[in-house]
Amino acid sequence: MDVLTQKGTQFIGRLLENPAIATLSPLQKELQILEFLGAHRNELYPTLSSNQFFPGKPEGEIFAILLSSLYLVINQSLDPALKHIVSAQIDFSFIKHFSTSQPAPESVRQSVLMFLKKLLTRPLARRTATGPLTALELGLVDRYLDHGLSRREYMCMELEKVQRLRMESVEIKNYIKTTLLLKPAIALPLAEADMNNQELRGATVQPVFAERVHTLIKNDLKLLPDEVQKSALNANLSYEENRELEATSRIAAILSARAAYAKQFTKIDRGADTPDKSWFSIARRNAKFYGFDLKMCEEFYKIASDFGY
Amino acid sequence: MKKDRIQIFEIVVFSAILLVLVQTFLEDFASLMGWMRTPREILVWTGFAFDLFFTIEFLTRLYWAFTEKRVKQYFFHERGWIDFAASVPLLMLNSGPSVFALVSATASVVMISGILNVLKVLKVVRIARVLRFLRIIKLFRNIKYADSKMTQRHMMRITTLIITTVVIVIFGFSILQNTLLAETHSQTASTVVWRQIVAANNAAHSPAGVRTVLTLYAKTESLVWEISDPTGKAVYSRYSPTEIQERFIKSSDYEHFFDPKTGITAVLDTRPVLYQEAIQNLLFFSLVVILVGVLVFLYSPHFALTVSDPVLIMKNGMKDPHYNLEIKIPALYKDDDVYELAEEYNEVFLPLKDRDLTAGKSEKDAGGLSLKLEDLDFLSDEKNQ
């Protein structure tokens, strides 16, 4: 590691020590720092160009060093988190329901992990992955699907009767977790220039775009069935405009959005509703805007309300 | 340093307020239970010490206010009038004369009788002592539910109004009892007994007969402490001088009667009347304690939960772009103005804010980042090195 990167890493390390972001997931921290650096670029430059940091370096170079240092530091905690999700949280055996070929689970895990590592070298993909990976880290799928499947209401009906998933509850959950994990694949063909694209911030894309991405990822994820890949990519589509969306995609879209800015251990003010209940309540009112399935949001809201999430 | 001293001073004052409330209770409790001289004497002295302390404290605060040219602010808006009402009049009209009577116990009986009459009229000012409860309400700032400034102010206002009203009403009735109803007041048990003594004296025909009649009467009437014939010689004395020393302390515990026609005198026990007064005082004291307790522990949470908490949540939601907790709306109070506003906040404001945030409109403007430039001390530290 050269001296400049070392200094950059130290600087980023100090930012990460800030208690305000201590409870966030690695990618949420990264997003916070990226937005912080972007918002305070002008104020920070005089300090960063002083003798203590990067004397004489132009602004662009300094921020390039900081960004590469940021990815380096975040990857140190992101990589083990990814490995843990892929190897310990998700059991890919559910794919047996989609194809006759039975690839070894370890091979599937390796291919997914490799794909994710490749994907997460792209800044925009990292941003897009913030919500899904945080949702997996927070265990939102288990938290809500356990109740959702046992209630046998809208969510369960959509998964079992409409999407026709003939599998165990635990397999359905793994399917949804995989959908979440691969949802950021939508950002694979996008360049950094698309970072400020309003449509992407709104997190919905057109079906044609999703199809195009599918052809791109097919080869990398050939051990995963098409249905699973499409479920993941379709989680970026609006349900308002695509009423035939898989229930797994609709669930992944909602949970991913829920987790994007979620904080762990949020202090709940006296007289306020719980964080999840509040979020789902807002989500059902904004369902059309975000392209969520309103009925699905309402069921999440009911679960959060009944169980105090 | 000055701040520390003020803090220590406040702690001392609050401790004194709590102690004086205990002292006030014990003083009446002692009358009711007929405590012996020594503990009652201690209570009189401590009452005087507290009144003196609070008078000095009031004068000090008034002086500070005067030097800072905010006497009006202190007296009317910072409840200086409570500091005044619960100190100076008590020292001048209640505990001061009581201590004087105590110190003068060995002086002439006539002087004590004079003080006695003064005390009877002025003891109603003791009621003002309960105003000190208003000062300890500040102590409840740290209890659950009373942490918002709005709740504290409302609690202070409502408690002050209620307690002051109760004090004024009782004060008024006490004055009425001691002045307009003086005739009724004179018909106390001791007055009736004295009239019977005079009548018995008049009925006897010889000095020996007088002595016999009065002695017989005194033995059967428990209120009679001592009867003396016109020569000043005691005809009957219920207690020995030692017993008197142990039992009686306050000049209000007994009353001197003198018949100018026959020249006989009597000292009669007035403590039964004092018992009644002590019961009334304790009732009043308990009423104030319960009122303050009910307001602080029952009404204050209700106010906080149904008014200040929803307001606080809305304030947080408007200040912090990422704060998206909804307000719980209790079905019972959904028609309250606050909850109607809360409903708008939940259903309109928060979804709108969320959409704005997603569209990237409000994030930077409203300071939605968790990281703040001003929190990063190390930047300025390293720059200064």
Side-chain angles (χ1 to χ4, degrees), chain B residues 196-303:
Chain B
Q196 286 171 356
I197 289 170
V198 173
N201 179 63
N202 292 339
H205 300 292
S206 63
V210 167
R211 186 177 292 264
T212 310
V213 168
L214 290 181
T215 308
L216 276 171
Y217 183 81
K219 279 182 179 172
T220 53
E221 177 50 66
S222 63
L223 288 185
V224 177
W225 175 21
E226 191 174 277
I227 299 177
S228 305
D229 64 17
T231 61
K233 191 179 175 186
V235 173
Y236 174 80
S237 193
R238 186 174 298 276
Y239 303 112
S240 68
T242 319
E243 280 180 309
I244 292 166
Q245 280 291 313
E246 282 174 359
R247 282 172 186 268
F248 301 101
I249 169 189
K250 285 191 171 180
S251 48
S252 55
D253 284 356
Y254 53 85
E255 201 167 352
H256 278 267
F257 291 90
F258 173 68
D259 182 25
K261 285 182 186 168
T262 58
I264 63 163
T265 58
V267 178
L268 302 176
D269 194 348
T270 56
R271 284 178 301 167
V273 178
L274 295 181
Y275 294 159
Q276 291 303 316
E277 284 177 1
I279 288 170
Q280 277 179 14
N281 288 341
L282 287 174
L283 180 73
F284 176 51
F285 187 86
S286 311
L287 176 73
V288 172
V289 172
I290 291 166
L291 271 177
V292 171
V294 164
L295 288 170
V296 169
F297 295 106
L298 293 182
Y299 181 69
S300 162
H302 174 75
F303 183 86

Side-chain angles (χ1 to χ4, degrees), chain A residues 269-270 273 278 281 286 290, chain B residues 309 323 326 354-355 358 370:
Chain A
D269 288 318
R270 198 174 52 220
D273 265 326
S278 297
S281 175
N286 283 340
Y290 290 117
Chain B
D309 285 355
Y323 186 97
E326 288 197 334
D354 191 59
R355 292 201 294 271
T358 305
S370 299

Side-chain angles (χ1 to χ4, degrees), chain A residues 49-69:
Chain A
S49 59
S50 69
N51 288 337
Q52 291 297 318
F53 294 103
F54 310 99
K57 294 281 175 197
E59 190 180 327
E61 196 178 329
I62 291 174
F63 282 92
I65 295 167
L66 290 181
L67 286 189
S68 62
S69 304

